[in-house]
Amino acid sequence: MLARARTTIPALLCLVSVLGTAEAADYSCDGLVVAGESVICSGFEPNWAVRLTCTGSTMTSEFIDAFSGSGIQTTPGTVVFSSQDPWTFETSHPVKGTIAATPGGCTDEGDNVHDFTFTPTGAPGLSGPFFPFCCRVE
């Protein structure tokens, strides 16, 4: 009986490990985030952000404007990706740019470390040059 338990327990642990890994790897929206999560890329000087949210298997976007002088305005929109890892996209606002996976490689103005870096190439109401900034997953 003890020998049987010794072979059954490792097999069960292996199965749990495999199932957990498969579930964790299900990045439903363009391979970037899992359903129910958002990636938020916040710029400063001027203050603005883009939020990409995965609902089911569809990604939506929001442009968050905190620089135009009318308080913080959030405008919903759509997003289209033209590549993955790095993720090149354009929103209907239009925000354009590329998000790259940079594990532990992006430090924001508050000295917080993040795993993604956004390099914008366009944003409504702003002209370049644009500088890279960090993204967080929520």
Side-chain angles (χ1 to χ4, degrees):
M1 180 96 164
L2 185 56
R4 186 176 197 180
R6 285 186 184 154
T7 58
T8 304
I9 291 173
L12 288 173
L13 290 175
C14 182
L15 179 61
V16 168
S17 175
V18 168
L19 290 174
T21 302
E23 193 172 305
D26 182 21
Y27 290 92
S28 304
C29 288
D30 296 286
L32 182 58
V33 293
V34 298
E37 289 186 340
S38 297
V39 61
I40 302 167
C41 307
S42 304
F44 57 97
E45 302 292 331
N47 294 327
W48 66 282
V50 63
R51 178 188 336 239
L52 305 175
T53 302
C54 180
T55 53
S57 62
T58 304
M59 190 79 86
T60 60
S61 68
E62 293 177 300
F63 176 68
I64 303 164
D65 173 354
F67 65 85
S68 64
S70 305
I72 298 174
Q73 297 178 353
T74 301
T75 306
T78 59
V79 60
V80 175
F81 287 86
S82 58
S83 70
Q84 293 181 359
D85 201 8
W87 294 267
T88 302
F89 69 93
E90 183 172 352
T91 71
S92 56
H93 303 105
V95 172
K96 301 182 216 177
T98 301
I99 297 174
T102 53
C106 192
T107 303
D108 67 16
E109 66 279 2
D111 291 331
N112 300 301
V113 177
H114 301 282
D115 295 331
F116 294 93
T117 303
F118 176 49
T119 304
T121 56
L126 299 173
S127 58
F130 293 101
F131 300 98
F133 50 86
C134 299
C135 301
R136 68 185 184 279
V137 175
E138 294 184 338

